[in-house]
Structures are given as structure tokens and as C-alpha cells.
């Protein structure tokens, strides 16, 4: 329908949505946005199971937010606990988010974290075992993440591979 698109963009701390042929401001956050992700079941139609959620990683406190965009006045909920001094550079939403609402975040110096939104008071937790002492530059979930839980991480020295399994080691594959 006219005026209802699900195309989003960011600039600085602002989130905009394409409305017909104009960008409209939907939220202004307290700091610069580094990453924006939508869940696979994103939906702004009230009669469906999905919700219009946007996940936002930021460079400074509060580091991570969930924006609900119903088209009127968006609401923002922030989840900084467990991300102390860890700017979020990448957010990943797994394909099974509708049944397992867990978000993954790559932090510049704190490794990979996860947030289980099904918990009454969600707090960020480390993924797998101790993360190698590397700066993180990016992150991707395996194409078969629902089954293998593999997470691929780009660092200043090469690829790091791990799993979302408690205590699972991270494997550093140095670039030559």
C-alpha cells in the first residue's frame, strides 16, 4: 500500500524509513548507529504473528536497542547490561528468531555476545568459550545456523570460527 514500505536507513543516530518517495525520520538515538538488523519475521501488519522490530547496534552507551515501528510513534527499549564499554559493530538475527528470539552482537573488543529476548530481564552473555584477544571487524551466521550454530567472525588477523554452544572453543584461522 502507498506510504507503507519496509526500507530503512541510518545516518549518525537517526533511523529513517522510506515513505512513498521520501525518507521520514522514525527515531533519533543517543549515539551513532553502527549496525541495523530486522528479524526474518519482521511485519508491520497488526493481524500477523510478526512484529515490526528493528535491532540497532551503537558505538556508545546504551550500545543496543530494539525499536518497534508500528508506523506512529516508535518505541525504543535499550539493553546495555553485559555490553559495558563494548561498542556493537554488527547485529545478526538468526533464521529461527520467531521460535528462538536470540540476537547476536559482534563487539569491537568484547567478542561475540547474545541476548535472549524471551527472558524476563534479558542480559547480554558471552557466546561459547573465552573469545581470543582480537579486535572484531565483522560477523556472520552460518547458512545452516539453525542446525550447526556456527558463527564466523572477521578480525584484524583473519577468521575466527565458533559455535553458540556453552564452552565451545573459538578457532583462530590466521591470514597469511
Amino acid at each position: 500500500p502507498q506510504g507503507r514500505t519496509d526500507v530503512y536507513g541510518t545516518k549518525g543516530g537517526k533511523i529513517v524509513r522510506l515513505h512513498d518517495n521520501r525518507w521520514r525520520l522514525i527515531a533519533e538515538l543517543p549515539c551513532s548507529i553502527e549496525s541495523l538488523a530486522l528479524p526474518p519475521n519482521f511485519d508491520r501488519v497488526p493481524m500477523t504473528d510478526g512484529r515490526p522490530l528493528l535491532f540497532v547496534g551503537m558505538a556508545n552507551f546504551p550500545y543496543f536497542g530494539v525499536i518497534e515501528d508500528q508506523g506512529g510513534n516508535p518505541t525504543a527499549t535499550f539493553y546495555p547490561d553485559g555490553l559495558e564499554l563494548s561498542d556493537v559493530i554488527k547485529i545478526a538475527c538468526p533464521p529461527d528468531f520467531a521460535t528462538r528470539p536470540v540476537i547476536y552482537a559482534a563487539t569491537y573488543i568484547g567478542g561475540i555476545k547474545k541476548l535472549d529476548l524471551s527472558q524476563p530481564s534479558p542480559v547480554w552473555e558471552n557466546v561459547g568459550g573465552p573469545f581470543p584477544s582480537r579486535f572484531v571487524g565483522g560477523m556472520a551466521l552460518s547458512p545452516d545456523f539453525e542446525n550447526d550454530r556456527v558463527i564466523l567472525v572477521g578480525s584484524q588477523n583473519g577468521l575466527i570460527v565458533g559455535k553458540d554452544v556453552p564452552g565451545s572453543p573459538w578457532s583462530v584461522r590466521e591470514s597469511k
Side-chain angles (χ1 to χ4, degrees), residues 21-35:
N21 61 355
R22 280 186 70 216
W23 290 98
R24 303 264 172 123
L25 179 68
I26 64 158
E28 192 159 358
L29 303 180
C31 60
S32 180
I33 297 167
E34 298 289 321
S35 182

Side-chain angles (χ1 to χ4, degrees), residues 81-104:
D81 294 341
L83 290 175
E84 292 77 13
L85 304 176
S86 297
D87 54 331
V88 173
I89 59 168
K90 180 74 175 171
I91 299 291
C93 220
D96 60 349
F97 180 82
T99 57
R100 185 180 165 269
V102 175
I103 301 296
Y104 293 86

Side-chain angles (χ1 to χ4, degrees), residues 12 35-36 81 85 96-97 121 141 148 155 159 167 174:
S35 182
L36 179 71
D81 294 341
L85 304 176
D96 60 349
F97 180 82
S121 298
L141 303 179
D148 64 20
S155 76
L159 181 66
E174 302 284 342

Side-chain angles (χ1 to χ4, degrees), residues 112-131:
I112 306 303
K113 311 274 188 179
K114 68 179 177 180
L115 183 72
D116 185 347
L117 292 172
S118 70
Q119 297 299 314
S121 298
V123 174
W124 289 96
E125 302 172 15
N126 290 325
V127 174
F131 196 80

Side-chain angles (χ1 to χ4, degrees), residues 154-166:
S155 76
Q156 86 270 24
N157 294 92
L159 181 66
I160 302 171
V161 180
K163 287 187 173 193
D164 182 11
V165 174

